[in-house]
Amino acid sequence: MPITFDASSHIFKLDTPSSSYAFMLFSENYLVHLYYGPKVPDIAPLAALMDRGSYDSFSPRNPALITDRSFSLDFTPQEFPGPGCGDYRIPAVEVRSPAGDTVTDFRYVSHKIYPGKPALEGLPATFAQEGEAETLEVEALDPVTGVKAHLLYTVFAQHDAIARSVRLENTGVRPVDLERVMSLCLDLPTMDYDLIHVYGRWAKENTTTRTPLRHGCQSFASRRGMTSHSYNPFAALLRQGAGEEQGEAIGVGLIYSGNFSFEVEVDHLGCPRLAAGIEPSTFCWRLEPGESFQSPEAVMVFSQQGLGGMSRTFHRLYNQHLIHGEWAHKKRPLLINSWEAAYFDFDAAKLVEFAQEAGKLGIEMLVMDDGWFGERCDDHRALGDWQVNEEKLGCSLSELIAGVNQAGLKFGIWYEPEMISPDSDLYRAHPDWAIATSGRVNSQGRYQYVLDMTRKEVRDNIFEQMAGVLGSHKIDYVKWDCNRNITEAASAALPPERQGEFFHRYVLGVYDLMERVTKAFPHILLENCSGGGGRFDAGMLYYSPQIWTSDNTDPIERLSIQFGASLCYPVSSMGAHVSANPRAGIATKGAVAMMGTFGYELDPRKLTEEEREAVKSQAAAYHKDYELIREGDLYRLTDSAENRNFCDWEFVSPDKERALFTRIIVRRPDLVFQTLRLRGLDPEKLYLEEETGRICSGALLMSAGPGLCVNPWATKDGDCIVRHYTAQP
Ligand code: GLA
């Protein structure tokens, strides 16, 4: 049993294959956190270490409730701390009571442990069958407000991961306002950690940053209504001295696509508290008696193999327990997208020519990007008018699809369902459907407004429009785009006291629409996008197995973007295409896109003969290495953000029978010989290095490396080296 409750010590212990997490019921039923770290057999001795030497005057306690004078909320690690009763650190929850204060004091009431994992109403979350996971549900009550917290912990049998969330239920008789609901609160006993997360902007997503924890608060957040290019809802705490493949790392990923916040406070005693959840300053939720509010889910991962081990656990977990539907494990077609090849300048004849050329090269699907609907001749108009522009195409959509299918390719299409152009029939008919605040001029982003997805009639309209096209055509793929952030946030359909619910309701509305579309058209492969990686998050991954990682297709700049995304997200989810970008040759562009879903975004008619041959062999490599890349373990060997010359990575199949090593020469090196060690191989096995015919033991490859001799005189910036390894019988 991965979850146990010891009735004599009152300790809950949650064991994953290599980690333990523990908390206890301390005096008067406080939920006191005890431990998160490498797997240990015994926890009880830790319970004796509560006395941290508080100074009574400035660590007030409730004498009626807390008789043990060595115990103070001022420094006690807690599972679900509220403010106002002596814990002055960042709280997990803030509830404005009918009396107007925000004091809460949650105490344990009961618990249950059961196999499997419950779904979270209206929200994407990890899933597991009985036998794959076990769940602990703890009920804690704040008796004055009557708010009951249902704390959920799911332990996965095969992964060093624990999923957490909280549902708040108003069991009182008067409404309360939830002003802060964190999905996860984690207290640690030492500040000996570095905080790692990613930041960026459009076309430069996922730059990794690492800073030591310090006293006070460190935080990052999105208030854009969406995940954003600026930050990603993921953070890692890396034990000082730990690195890519060694030492302890704790990763926290939020399965959410709206405003989020990650906060770490190191208190006066040097103990960090990490809280992650919905961004509180843009959130306030009125909870009527009898109602419940479900927080998004957070996933904690523990690794003793550094960041790499943490990433690999996230990858496996998300591949097996988050991404779902027909396409979760089905082989994805090798696609070509029209955007960078044609932008808005296309008709059916041109697209069919693309398909015919692409078909000869082994490409399997053509995606018609933006520009096929309404009066959409540029990005100034027509979002919301999802009717096929036959005049522009020069034929019906069915005829276009038939032409593409005849060339042997499947067909995909682009949508931006959450948006509305001021110059659109939809806006002229329903101007109040755009998000707006009364008395203010609406901001525009890319000449567009955002639809009020909190409103069912808006979602119904968009669903009907989408279903009209998707239901009557042979469409195999949809790219779901989202090209601006939210401003002037308010809904005409919400009363003033509920406007604080807007941002979260927006996300719930988007999830509802995605659920409807994916349920109605389960055969369609959905790819998310938000001006590239502006909504690359685990919430979106639940609905769409892949997400366009960045609008930047420069293969060298892509390296740090993809490495940053891979901290938390599997390569099977990272949309990556070969484009006409001149920064490197087609071999390198292919090698970089292969660390992702792989596809093309160029005019196939303009390829040289040499490039055509390269595309054909890349298409063959795509099929040959598909399983290895999608199911294999990723090792980030050399990070281009840290090394001026190289970026190196490796995939190793789960059975260690095959490996794929890639080196990108970012900048021509001065040294000829480079020692680089491979990882993850079986030291006992002999591997054939396919490109050279050498046979080396796994031990040699992991100690002396693949023996890369880079002749500076015969090497250019942007070259690549690719090596395949196959274990010999
Ligand atoms: C966004 C996407 C691009 C493309 C355009 C179309 O920028 O990221 O890939 O689909 O929209 O307008």
Side-chain angles (χ1 to χ4, degrees):
M1 292 279 275
I3 302 177
T4 53
F5 176 65
D6 184 298
S8 59
S9 61
H10 296 145
I11 290 177
F12 292 97
K13 187 160 180 279
L14 288 63
D15 286 325
T16 73
S18 331
S19 73
S20 295
Y21 183 94
F23 58 97
M24 71 177 298
L25 307 179
F26 204 69
S27 61
E28 311 300 343
N29 286 333
Y30 282 103
L31 288 164
V32 169
H33 177 78
L34 290 176
Y35 179 78
Y36 188 34
K39 193 168 190 170
V40 288
D42 55 336
I43 290 289
L46 292 177
L49 300 177
M50 280 301 141
D51 187 352
R52 295 186 182 189
S54 70
Y55 182 53
D56 206 35
S57 310
F58 296 102
S59 294
R61 63 171 71 76
N62 183 333
L65 293 172
I66 304 171
T67 46
D68 179 347
R69 295 196 73 77
S70 67
F71 178 91
S72 167
L73 293 180
D74 199 8
F75 50 72
T76 298
Q78 295 205 70
E79 285 299 302
F80 193 62
C85 289
D87 184 330
Y88 297 97
R89 295 162 287 183
I90 48 172
V93 63
E94 260 182 85
V95 179
R96 184 138 330 249
S97 75
D101 64 83
T102 57
V103 179
T104 49
D105 191 9
F106 284 91
R107 234 66 73 64
Y108 168 87
V109 178
S110 66
H111 76 271
K112 53 186 175 187
I113 297 171
Y114 47 86
K117 180 174 192 302
L120 303 188
E121 201 189 333
L123 283 166
T126 54
F127 55 85
Q129 308 300 323
E130 286 190 17
E132 292 179 332
E134 196 172 43
T135 297
L136 163 67
E137 194 171 331
V138 175
E139 280 185 13
L141 180 72
D142 174 55
V144 175
T145 57
V147 174
K148 189 184 267 184
H150 302 258
L151 308 176
L152 262 84
Y153 302 80
T154 296
V155 179
F156 295 88
Q158 302 295 329
H159 307 277
D160 287 318
I162 299 175
R164 293 178 58 178
S165 70
V166 54
R167 181 166 62 84
L168 294 172
E169 181 190 357
N170 185 353
T171 68
V173 292
R174 296 176 63 191
V176 295
D177 288 319
L178 307 179
E179 296 187 347
R180 178 182 172 94
V181 182
M182 290 289 127
S183 304
L184 162 149
C185 174
L186 176 64
D187 282 344
L188 293 165
T190 166
M191 63 189 285
D192 189 19
Y193 286 97
D194 290 346
L195 173 67
I196 292 189
H197 65 102
V198 297
Y199 69 92
R201 57 172 163 76
W202 175 76
K204 185 80 180 84
E205 299 86 345
N206 303 327
T207 308
T208 305
T209 169
R210 176 173 179 167
T211 42
L213 291 188
R214 50 175 166 69
H215 283 275
C217 287
Q218 284 154 280
S219 67
F220 58 94
S222 168
R223 297 177 194 87
R224 294 170 178 269
M226 284 127 199
T227 306
S228 88
H229 298 83
S230 311
Y231 300 105
N232 195 278
F234 156 79
L237 291 173
L238 197 59
R239 204 71 184 245
Q240 269 170 25
E244 178 63 27
E245 288 295 336
Q246 80 288 337
E248 287 180 20
I250 294 172
V252 174
L254 200 60
I255 304 181
Y256 191 55
S257 313
N259 290 347
F260 68 83
S261 172
F262 277 65
E263 302 161 20
V264 185
E265 178 178 2
V266 179
D267 71 8
H268 52 293
L269 298 175
C271 298
R273 168 173 291 171
L274 167 68
I278 296 175
E279 201 284 316
S281 75
T282 50
F283 171 80
C284 181
W285 192 278
R286 171 63 54 95
L287 201 63
E288 297 289 341
E291 285 182 353
S292 284
F293 178 85
Q294 175 63 56
S295 84
E297 181 167 287
V299 173
M300 297 188 306
V301 165
F302 181 79
S303 154
Q304 283 178 282
Q305 286 80 42
L307 280 180
M310 175 207 72
S311 298
R312 290 187 287 276
T313 298
F314 272 115
H315 299 170
R316 276 181 239 134
L317 183 82
Y318 285 178
N319 271 330
Q320 293 166 24
H321 294 282
L322 178 68
I323 298 170
H324 73 302
E326 272 185 31
W327 284 98
H329 302 289
K330 198 155 113 186
K331 190 165 176 197
R332 322 247 179 97
L334 173 51
L335 69 81
I336 185 163
N337 178 296
S338 70
W339 181 243
E340 287 192 31
Y343 297 104
F344 293 102
D345 180 20
F346 62 83
D347 57 15
K350 190 188 247 186
L351 294 178
V352 170
E353 274 183 36
F354 283 0
Q356 286 164 344
E357 285 307 309
K360 291 178 203 157
L361 306 175
I363 294 170
E364 299 165 312
M365 180 161 72
L366 177 93
V367 176
M368 175 172 67
D369 209 280
D370 193 357
W372 58 268
F373 51 91
E375 298 299 316
R376 186 80 168 169
C377 54
D378 57 23
D379 60 5
H380 288 48
R381 67 207 84 239
L383 292 170
D385 299 343
W386 300 109
Q387 296 88 42
V388 181
N389 186 336
E390 295 190 352
E391 201 183 316
K392 172 173 176 170
L393 291 181
C395 65
S396 69
L397 182 57
S398 300
E399 286 165 318
L400 164 58
I401 295 173
V404 171
N405 290 165
Q406 260 162 30
L409 278 76
K410 295 173 185 297
F411 183 81
I413 199 166
W414 181 94
Y415 274 98
E416 196 175 0
E418 298 151 69
M419 299 293 155
I420 181 166
S421 304
D423 182 2
S424 66
D425 291 342
L426 189 69
Y427 188 76
R428 282 181 280 276
H430 300 283
D432 63 310
W433 283 8
I435 293 169
T437 40
S438 68
R440 292 181 200 281
V441 176
N442 238 4
S443 304
Q444 294 188 12
R446 209 193 190 201
Y447 313 99
Q448 63 201 52
Y449 299 147
V450 187
L451 279 168
D452 184 353
M453 283 286 149
T454 72
R455 293 170 70 170
K456 183 163 182 315
E457 67 273 30
V458 175
R459 303 197 297 272
D460 286 348
N461 176 290
I462 299 299
F463 177 78
E464 294 307 332
Q465 289 200 60
M466 290 179 79
V469 174
L470 299 178
S472 54
H473 295 92
K474 209 162 155 263
I475 294 174
D476 297 292
Y477 162 109
V478 164
K479 179 172 169 187
W480 183 306
D481 214 333
C482 170
N483 276 313
R484 63 157 287 185
N485 294 143
I486 295 175
T487 52
E488 292 88 26
S491 170
L494 287 172
E497 68 277 14
R498 286 193 175 269
Q499 291 295 341
E501 300 173 17
F502 172 80
F503 278 112
H504 185 59
R505 285 190 183 276
Y506 179 88
V507 181
L508 294 179
V510 173
Y511 289 152
D512 174 64
L513 186 57
M514 279 189 185
E515 180 78 24
R516 284 171 76 180
V517 171
T518 50
K519 277 252 161 62
F521 305 101
H523 67 283
I524 286 181
L525 169 60
L526 190 65
E527 173 154 358
N528 254 281
C529 175
S530 176
R535 200 161 58 182
F536 202 124
D537 62 67
M540 287 293 130
L541 271 190
Y542 176 82
Y543 300 99
S544 63
Q546 56 195 57
I547 304 176
W548 183 227
T549 317
S550 177
D551 277 348
N552 188 339
T553 53
D554 175 320
I556 302 302
E557 292 183 12
R558 266 275 177 152
L559 294 170
S560 64
I561 295 172
Q562 293 179 184
F563 263 42
S566 77
L567 281 173
C568 186
Y569 307 104
V571 293
S572 67
S573 69
M574 288 162 36
H577 297 167
V578 175
S579 74
N581 187 292
R583 184 78 181 273
I586 195 149
T588 295
K589 291 190 279 194
V592 175
M594 215 54 101
M595 192 217 296
T597 58
F598 196 71
Y600 292 86
E601 185 131 351
L602 43 71
D603 185 340
R605 303 169 308 176
K606 294 187 179 154
L607 292 169
T608 63
E609 204 41 53
E610 197 187 332
E611 287 169 333
R612 290 172 64 82
E613 289 310 310
V615 173
K616 282 185 203 164
S617 54
Q618 285 170 355
Y622 172 75
H623 295 296
K624 177 177 173 232
D625 297 332
Y626 186 86
E627 288 291 318
L628 170 59
I629 294 172
R630 268 71 196 170
E631 306 297 330
D633 286 331
L634 170 68
Y635 292 86
R636 293 176 294 255
L637 302 175
T638 312
D639 188 338
S640 62
E642 287 163 9
N643 184 297
R644 64 196 288 272
N645 297 120
F646 302 115
C647 183
D648 300 297
W649 66 92
E650 182 194 4
F651 293 102
V652 181
S653 63
D655 60 6
K656 299 183 188 294
E657 287 288 305
R658 292 192 64 210
L660 168 64
F661 163 74
T662 305
R663 156 162 286 188
I664 305 299
I665 298 160
V666 175
R667 193 188 304 193
R668 197 165 60 113
D670 303 327
L671 300 170
V672 173
F673 289 103
Q674 309 293 329
T675 48
L676 172 96
R677 292 170 162 173
L678 296 189
R679 290 189 175 271
L681 301 174
D682 183 341
E684 307 286 323
K685 284 189 167 132
L686 288 175
Y687 291 90
L688 168 68
E689 195 173 68
E690 291 175 16
E691 285 75 8
T692 64
R694 292 192 320 156
I695 293 186
C696 308
S697 67
L700 186 73
L701 290 166
M702 291 194 291
S703 303
L708 296 170
C709 174
V710 179
N711 178 350
W713 308 113
T715 307
K716 295 190 304 305
D717 293 359
D719 278 356
C720 71
I721 298 170
V722 175
R723 300 259 168 98
H724 290 79
Y725 296 91
T726 316
Q728 298 304 285

